[in-house]
Amino acid sequence: MQQLIARDYRELSRLAADRVSAVVAEKPAAVLGLATGSTPIGLYAELVARSRAGELDLRQVTTFNLDEYLGLPRTHPASYWQFMQAHLFRHVPVRAERIHLPRGDAPDPEAECRAYEAAIAAAGGIDLQVLGIGGNGHIGFNEPGAPFDSVTRVVDLTAETRAANARFFARPDEVPRQAISMGIRTIMQARRILLLASGEGKAAAVAAALTGPVTTAVPASVLQRHPDVTVIMDAAAAGLLPAAAGSGR
Ligand code: PGA
């Protein structure tokens, strides 16, 4: 596992964009696993800037997002579909038919989950999966206790996660109680993983994930078992790591 500590959020975003750009340069038709949340917003802004500058060609990539709220149609302003449109897809030439997010309003969510896994497999698997980390150590919406062999499925959101995401909704009780999320196994099958963490609110989760035991109680700890993980964090998120760790730049 490679650990990089960025000076600030801007550098974190640039370093993350360097990783994504390198994968796409090596394989123009790369399959990218993408994440929502506050953390990757700077990465997406950087990708948009590089795409506009002609430094990054996203025309052949395929994308699969980690998750979507159950029950929200793509038109809902707090849907992850809308988030991805606003921060990335509206501004870059990724082809519409190559953009994948689970449909929150699928009439048969279980069938939607199976179809999502099948679509990832049909695309040849994920070349690079971008991840944030929850304050509780979640990856995607795989909350503590999620089995390591889980695949895309309907999951319950914890009270902590619903509270953390309430800022995107008009009222806290509007936050959905469930989501469709890639599973831990789905994430672990990606050929490379890029974990991003910013701010002191993530420091405990980062330390537990990177240096604690591998346990379903800290879903991100499973990444210790993946052969190709890069963690990019700012100093605040790295604040509880042992002193020697994280100096791998
Ligand atoms: P955040 O969320 O980027 O908004 O902090 C990360 C996560 O919960 O996975």
Side-chain angles (χ1 to χ4, degrees):
M1 184 181 285
Q2 193 185 9
Q3 300 177 20
L4 308 183
I5 301 184
R7 271 191 305 277
D8 52 24
Y9 181 68
R10 185 121 198 244
E11 191 188 33
L12 177 155
S13 301
R14 282 207 202 106
L15 290 169
D18 288 347
R19 295 292 161 136
V20 174
S21 301
V23 167
V24 176
E26 183 185 302
K27 183 177 176 184
V31 179
L32 302 176
L34 300 179
T36 51
S38 306
T39 312
I41 288 177
L43 160 64
Y44 297 147
E46 211 28 68
L47 295 180
V48 169
R50 292 180 191 197
S51 170
R52 285 188 173 146
E55 298 162 9
L56 170 68
D57 183 356
L58 293 169
R59 285 175 299 178
Q60 293 183 60
V61 304
T62 294
T63 69
F64 287 92
N65 265 79
L66 285 166
D67 44 23
E68 179 60 281
Y69 290 112
L70 192 70
L72 295 196
R74 289 183 164 177
T75 50
H76 192 288
S79 70
Y80 285 164
W81 177 266
Q82 289 292 329
F83 176 99
M84 290 307 299
Q85 293 298 323
H87 290 287
L88 185 64
F89 295 135
R90 206 172 285 151
H91 316 290
V92 295
V94 180
R95 289 173 57 171
E97 67 273 20
R98 296 200 184 129
I99 294 171
H100 302 85
L101 281 87
R103 289 201 83 104
D105 61 350
D108 181 346
E110 308 297 337
E112 175 71 8
C113 294
R114 286 192 298 274
Y116 204 68
E117 282 288 325
I120 294 171
I126 292 169
D127 291 302
L128 176 71
Q129 175 67 55
V130 177
L131 296 175
I133 182 170
N136 63 3
H138 76 198
I139 47 177
F141 274 136
N142 295 285
E143 302 283 27
F148 285 168
D149 63 357
S150 52
V151 295
T152 303
R153 70 211 183 287
V154 175
V155 294
D156 296 328
L157 304 184
T158 61
E160 181 181 353
T161 294
R162 293 184 67 233
N165 292 357
R167 65 191 191 276
F168 299 109
F169 292 82
R171 292 197 325 269
D173 63 351
E174 280 183 20
V175 184
R177 292 175 184 280
Q178 292 184 305
I180 292 176
S181 179
M182 280 187 200
I184 301 271
R185 186 199 280 162
T186 323
I187 291 168
M188 288 293 281
Q189 281 172 342
R191 287 183 268 279
R192 293 179 188 164
I193 291 180
L194 179 59
L195 177 69
L196 307 179
S198 171
E200 63 182 345
K202 301 297 172 63
V206 165
L210 303 193
T211 64
V214 175
T215 165
T216 57
V218 182
S221 67
V222 75
L223 300 176
Q224 293 179 34
R225 293 190 181 155
H226 192 285
D228 192 339
V229 177
T230 301
V231 186
I232 306 179
M233 52 206 148
D234 58 18
L240 294 178
L241 287 174
S247 55
R249 287 185 59 203

